[in-house]
Amino acid sequence: MKRWIGYRVSGIGFRVSAVGPRLKPDTRCLTYDTRYPTPDTRPSAAFLLILLLTGCAGVPRDTGPHPAWPPPPAPPRIVHLRDISSADDIRRDNALSGLGRLIFGGHQQYLASPNSCATDGTLLCISDQDLQGVHLFDMDKGKGQFINKATEEVHFVSPVGVAICGDQLAVADSALRRVYLLARDGKPMAAINKSEGFQRPTGLAWDAARSELYVVDTLANEVCVFSLDGRLIRRFGSPGIEAGQFHYPTHIGLDGDGHIYVSDSMNFRVQVLDRHGQYHASIGELGDASGYMAIPKGVAIDPEGHVYVVDSYLTNVQVFDHDGQLLLYFGQGGAERGQFRTPTGLAVDQQSRLYVCDSQNHRVQVFQYIRGSEHEPQ
């Protein structure tokens, strides 16, 4: 295996040495949750008058610098775009509507513990285990809603994986041991299960080309593939440490070439398989240096074939090429932009925007991959 001393530009950024910077979580950051107003935080009449006279809809939501990676003088490849911690962060207000909400209040749709997310560029779907439901954000219209019903009679208990399946949504509830199908407006439609029952369904991925839904069953150490009418098409995986075996798999992603990427969390790797479960390659191994993994969780592949892997313990996102070579990592422990506290799931849209569920910071952070010019060193 090649060992690089220091840094060099490679693909989308720096190739980082296994003997270079250590990737250890930063536990020194103490933060306070000030999202919920108390009675003495209500705006004064004078303040409201100033807002009305200036036409201001409220305090600006997007202030401060946006970090980028790698650091200068290298050209950036990953740039922070925004944080989404509530429906306010996507809402498109005019001055009067914003002022009205400030004066009269209203229900605020906050993220509590985002676990997984999925997007088709318009709809952003986020599971929230603490709130026991799913956030649906229409990014075009700037509107959000919260869904807590799995069926007309059953409420979600522990929603984990989410997937957007065309005009339907899929939600895996690890406590109810079902995968539930919803309409895009959140209306319950149906449920999917194995004949013997899921043990703990978690990660989901949708293959639009074949209309197949992939479901990770963590405690069964297998992946099951269903049609949306609930028919089990195939299944693969077994407990173990060998190629094609799993030890507590959690998340799953698909690329455009028919490869499946499974976060084999307690084997400290991401396994690359074909659509029938045949082993192709493995990314990562146990360690705390660059290119190694401790608790890999969310995995997603962008349109150019870069593989993004969230590590919940190392509190970062590592970026690999299609051959499994590390290109770049970003993030560390903390609450600032580009920092994480227990990151979990992630998703990538067709514009190469990366959505990372930053669970204990109660937000989803959005990043942009920037493609390099053909004249830049690779």
Side-chain angles (χ1 to χ4, degrees):
M1 179 180 69
K2 294 182 179 179
R3 297 172 68 84
W4 297 89
I5 304 299
Y7 300 84
R8 83 173 178 89
V9 175
S10 174
I12 65 167
F14 285 157
R15 189 181 298 276
V16 190
S17 170
V19 297
R22 308 294 286 179
L23 309 183
K24 293 185 177 180
D26 185 353
T27 58
R28 297 173 295 174
C29 182
L30 179 64
T31 61
Y32 297 89
D33 190 347
T34 59
R35 299 174 298 152
Y36 301 97
T38 56
D40 59 352
T41 64
R42 290 174 296 183
S44 67
F47 178 66
L48 295 177
L49 179 61
I50 292 173
L51 289 179
L52 182 60
L53 293 176
T54 59
C56 178
V59 178
R61 301 172 192 151
D62 194 13
T63 60
H66 294 269
W69 299 265
R77 292 291 178 264
I78 299 290
V79 177
H80 177 276
L81 291 182
R82 64 194 298 191
D83 289 348
I84 300 174
S85 58
S86 74
D88 275 353
D89 294 319
I90 67 162
R91 183 176 285 119
R92 298 181 178 179
D93 280 337
N94 58 37
L96 291 179
S97 64
L99 182 60
R101 287 190 299 104
L102 191 61
I103 296 173
F104 300 108
H107 174 70
Q108 299 297 316
Q109 183 183 345
Y110 289 108
L111 303 185
S113 181
N115 184 282
S116 295
C117 60
T119 183
D120 60 4
T122 299
L123 182 67
L124 176 61
C125 180
I126 306 168
S127 64
D128 195 318
Q129 285 185 287
D130 280 2
L131 295 183
Q132 298 179 305
V134 178
H135 302 271
L136 302 181
F137 293 134
D138 188 318
M139 306 300 285
D140 287 345
K141 297 180 180 179
K143 296 181 179 180
Q145 61 175 321
F146 181 73
I147 307 300
N148 63 1
K149 280 191 173 184
T151 70
E152 293 297 339
E153 297 81 21
V154 178
H155 288 74
F156 286 115
V157 176
S158 180
V160 183
V162 291
I164 299 176
C165 313
D167 59 356
Q168 298 184 57
L169 311 175
V171 181
D173 192 302
S174 61
L176 296 176
R177 301 182 183 181
R178 298 284 193 282
V179 174
Y180 293 95
L181 300 180
L182 313 175
R184 287 178 71 96
D185 62 1
K187 181 180 179 180
M189 296 183 66
I192 292 176
N193 203 353
K194 300 188 293 190
S195 59
E196 73 275 25
F198 288 115
Q199 294 186 45
R200 182 176 293 170
T202 52
L204 300 177
W206 172 247
D207 184 346
R210 300 176 179 86
S211 297
E212 294 178 344
L213 178 64
Y214 288 77
V215 182
V216 176
D217 192 341
T218 296
L219 293 185
N221 292 293
E222 72 172 2
V223 175
C224 300
V225 186
F226 292 88
S227 61
L228 289 186
D229 61 7
R231 179 173 58 91
L232 178 62
I233 300 172
R234 58 186 178 277
R235 60 204 299 177
F236 51 85
S238 62
I241 62 174
E242 302 301 324
Q245 295 183 320
F246 303 120
H247 188 36
Y248 291 98
T250 52
H251 295 252
I252 187 170
L254 308 176
D255 68 14
D257 297 323
H259 295 115
I260 302 160
Y261 297 75
V262 180
S263 285
D264 191 8
S265 295
M266 297 313 295
N267 278 330
F268 319 107
R269 64 188 178 185
V270 171
Q271 292 201 63
V272 186
L273 314 166
D274 69 17
R275 55 188 295 266
H276 297 286
Q278 295 299 308
Y279 176 82
H280 178 72
S282 184
I283 301 174
E285 59 182 295
L286 179 61
D288 65 354
S290 53
Y292 291 78
M293 297 182 184
I295 306 179
K297 288 290 188 72
V299 57
I301 302 85
D302 72 14
E304 297 200 11
H306 303 119
V307 182
Y308 300 82
V309 182
V310 169
D311 196 300
S312 288
Y313 181 77
L314 300 181
T315 59
N316 66 17
V317 179
Q318 300 192 66
V319 190
F320 300 86
D321 66 16
H322 65 277
D323 293 321
Q325 295 295 312
L326 179 68
L327 302 175
L328 173 72
Y329 72 86
F330 62 95
Q332 63 184 53
E336 301 300 319
R337 290 173 171 176
Q339 298 179 341
F340 304 108
R341 293 171 61 202
T342 318
T344 49
L346 81 164
V348 179
D349 66 19
Q350 289 301 307
Q351 284 70 49
S352 294
R353 290 185 294 251
L354 179 66
Y355 302 75
V356 182
C357 292
D358 188 9
S359 294
Q360 296 307 307
N361 280 326
H362 322 293
R363 65 186 176 185
V364 169
Q365 296 196 59
V366 186
F367 303 86
Q368 178 70 61
Y369 159 67
I370 300 176
R371 189 176 190 273
S373 72
E374 59 182 2
H375 303 294
E376 294 177 3
Q378 298 298 311

